[in-house]
Amino acid sequence: MDRFEIRGGTRLAGRLTIKGSKNAALPLLAAALLTDEAVTLRDVPDIADIGNMERLLAEVGCSVARQRAGDLEEAGGVFTVKATDLSACHARYDIVRTMRASICVLGPMLARRGYAKVSMPGGCSIGERPVDMHLRGLEALGADITLDAGDIIARIPRAHGKAGRLRGARVFLGGPFGSTVLGTANVMSAATLAEGTTVIECAACEPEIVNLADLLNAMGARIEGAGSPRITVHGVARLGGADLRVIPDRIEAGTYMCAAAITGGDLTLDNCPVDALMAHMDLLRHAGVTFVFDASGDPMRATCRVSMERGPLGGRGLRPVQATTQPHPGFPTDLQAQLMAVLCLAEGNSVITERIFTERFLHVAELSRMGAQLFRQGPTVIVSGVRSLRGAPVMASDLRASACLVLAGLAAEGVTTVNRVYHLDRGYERMDERLCSLGAQIERISDREEATLGAPGGVA
Ligand code: EPU
């Protein structure tokens, strides 16, 4: 397993192109299951979760052609997916356990094939993460759902001996923590091929849902209202192929904004979705970060300069803030850990409350090992700013918590070793190389290299 050795203390400066969004690309790829024509997606990031989705699609009967991006400054590669074998309908535990987002094949496969078998995702390091709302939504459309040997089995009942279709319905997707993003993706995708009209109330408003609706509409679907809490889907009999660009990754962009903040840096981010980052940028602005972008251009693909002046006394001049995670357009849970790293160095007490995944605090104990002063009570953490963090060996078994530790390492005195960076590789394309191109000092060390170096009597 690879790890990063980070020598902290360098002020980051330079330019980066934000890659295509992981969380948009995953349901977009799954949507190709709704048609037998080819679906082409551009700006798909080269990360481990996309590789997992490629394997999953192959397993459920799709051919996938992939052309990787030529260099680090392209937003991503091109994927063409074509569903060819409609009889392979089982998303097995082997893949689902490596990537929870595998659940987003359920709605498309059910709607097109009348049958889908998807291993029930278990809990993960950020909490329980049930899928009850996905299942209730599909049941409201007429699906018959059972659980067998850990697999969700979803069927459209046959009508008069013939394969039937889902039926349009009113579906409510509100839960204890607001809506569900992948649940909305599943129900909206499935409803495109239903008979009649579906109205989804309390739909997720995330930009990834808008990107998915854009693809489905380009395939011939009739969806209105995506991006608002009420989505209307007028069902059609069939969908065709399409070609679409994945939106830039707001969480990757937000993470690099934090990298500028924590190192007193000056970064220019191209292809930056400022429109999807209002809450995060507002918090960072209150903390003392400056943003400059051209407001007259496309706000989902802006060029945004992010800079942070050091304080007059050698401190970082960061001010404390209060942040609560919320569904979009509120402050996203996927940036909570990274913001916490920044606030560890603010001059005063910040308060962070996690309202989406109330146990998503794996980074708290690890940041404390680096000298952060953090006090957790239930879903709230008081971050009492310190003058400096100190490098230490750390590890977190969650993607965003690992990103938080890298950020802390960039600002810490001495060397920070972030172990098990495969979590980072799931969601950030070559984060080490990209940060190094901005002046960071990070070395990726893989066990393989170490084994060669350390092998007794080994020859070069
Ligand atoms: N929930 C339920 N029942 C359900 C579904 C969700 O109770 O059937 C609860 C969840 O436990 C959570 C809340 O509802 O408390 C919201 O969960 P949601 O379903 O919206 O999460 P998700 O769709 O499974 C996506 C992202 C996550 C991101 C969340 C919230 C993808 C692939 N994943 O997950 O991204 O944190 O939305 O915005 O889109 C990440 O990228 O690191 C990541 C975890």
Side-chain angles (χ1 to χ4, degrees):
M1 266 175 260
D2 292 5
R3 61 179 192 271
F4 286 176
E5 280 195 5
I6 306 172
R7 187 164 291 281
T10 321
R11 184 170 186 263
L12 299 191
R15 200 166 192 125
L16 273 187
T17 302
I18 297 305
K19 300 282 175 181
S21 156
K22 164 178 92 75
N23 289 349
L26 293 169
L28 290 175
L29 288 164
L33 288 161
L34 287 161
T35 174
D36 43 18
E37 292 181 21
V39 171
T40 297
L41 297 173
R42 296 170 195 279
D43 292 358
V44 179
D46 193 359
I47 51 177
D49 269 9
I50 295 294
N52 286 331
M53 184 51 106
E54 187 181 358
R55 277 200 299 140
L56 175 57
L57 288 174
E59 204 166 291
V60 294
C62 297
S63 69
V64 184
R66 177 175 191 167
Q67 194 188 324
R68 287 193 158 80
D71 67 52
L72 265 187
E73 290 322 310
E74 280 178 42
V78 182
F79 265 70
T80 300
V81 185
K82 197 163 185 300
T84 45
D85 175 5
L86 302 198
S87 66
C89 293
H90 190 185
R92 288 179 308 118
Y93 180 62
D94 275 3
I95 295 190
V96 176
R97 76 188 166 84
T98 61
M99 188 183 59
R100 233 192 139 275
S102 308
I103 190 71
C104 61
V105 301
L106 179 64
M109 203 151 59
L110 171 70
R112 172 78 180 90
R113 303 177 180 186
Y115 176 84
K117 185 167 167 180
V118 178
S119 177
M120 174 86 125
C124 72
S125 52
I126 65 175
E128 243 179 69
R129 304 190 72 185
V131 291
D132 56 311
M133 282 146 74
H134 301 230
L135 304 188
R136 272 190 278 131
L138 295 173
E139 275 172 343
L141 299 181
D144 177 12
I145 298 186
T146 51
L147 189 67
D148 180 46
D151 289 323
I152 299 162
I153 299 182
R155 283 192 180 83
I156 304 178
R158 295 175 78 81
H160 313 296
K162 289 201 314 219
R165 281 171 71 185
L166 291 169
R167 291 185 314 268
R170 244 188 142 73
V171 180
F172 180 72
L173 284 185
F177 305 98
S179 189
T180 158
V181 180
L182 290 179
T184 301
N186 255 329
V187 173
M188 182 171 79
S189 299
T192 58
L193 289 179
E195 219 166 334
T197 297
T198 298
V199 179
I200 306 174
E201 297 285 5
C202 208
C205 302
E206 271 65 7
E208 293 76 20
I209 295 295
V210 178
N211 204 201
L212 176 61
D214 286 346
L215 175 72
L216 294 169
N217 283 339
M219 291 164 71
R222 293 175 53 216
I223 300 174
E224 295 151 15
S228 80
R230 175 184 291 169
I231 298 178
T232 305
V233 187
H234 304 286
V236 296
R238 64 175 296 280
L239 295 176
D243 186 325
L244 189 95
R245 213 171 154 197
V246 179
I247 53 170
D249 196 315
R250 61 193 169 106
I251 307 303
E252 188 194 46
T255 303
Y256 287 116
M257 288 173 176
C258 288
I262 203 167
T263 65
D266 187 346
L267 302 183
T268 299
L269 306 178
D270 291 316
N271 201 36
C272 180
V274 289
D275 205 37
L277 279 164
M278 299 296 277
H280 181 61
M281 290 167 68
D282 191 54
L283 286 167
L284 286 178
R285 224 178 252 123
H286 277 97
V289 178
T290 305
F291 295 96
V292 180
F293 58 92
D294 176 7
S296 66
D298 179 351
M300 282 299 282
R301 296 183 186 277
T303 290
C304 180
R305 184 166 172 198
V306 192
S307 55
M308 173 75 210
E309 292 295 325
R310 281 175 197 267
L313 299 175
R316 296 189 184 272
L318 281 160
R319 290 187 293 269
V321 296
Q322 289 197 29
T324 299
T325 63
Q326 286 172 332
H328 190 75
F331 173 58
T333 172
D334 292 343
L335 285 169
Q336 177 256 112
Q338 300 90 316
L339 182 70
M340 190 181 293
V342 174
L343 295 176
C344 285
L345 292 168
E347 292 170 11
N349 294 333
S350 298
V351 183
I352 296 187
T353 302
E354 174 57 65
R355 290 221 188 283
I356 308 292
F357 295 113
T358 49
E359 295 301 319
R360 195 176 199 177
F361 286 121
L362 283 171
H363 43 291
V364 168
E366 302 298 302
L367 285 172
S368 302
R369 303 189 67 244
M370 299 177 70
Q373 292 285 311
L374 304 171
F375 309 94
R376 178 178 169 199
Q377 205 160 48
T380 296
V381 175
I382 311 283
V383 185
S384 183
V386 293
R387 284 193 70 82
S388 61
L389 293 171
R390 287 182 304 279
V394 287
M395 178 178 79
S397 38
D398 159 43
L399 164 60
R400 309 302 174 187
S402 302
C404 149
L405 298 175
V406 170
L407 293 172
L410 290 173
E413 289 168 3
V415 175
T416 298
T417 304
V418 180
N419 289 293
R420 298 201 177 177
V421 294
Y422 65 81
H423 291 291
L424 275 172
D425 294 335
R426 281 188 42 213
Y428 291 91
E429 186 173 329
R430 295 191 271 177
M431 187 187 232
D432 46 338
E433 287 175 49
R434 279 158 69 76
L435 287 170
C436 286
S437 77
L438 303 171
Q441 296 184 52
I442 304 180
E443 194 180 350
R444 179 187 283 258
I445 298 174
S446 67
D447 280 351
R448 215 167 357 106
E449 267 170 44
E450 213 167 39
T452 320
L453 290 172
V459 286

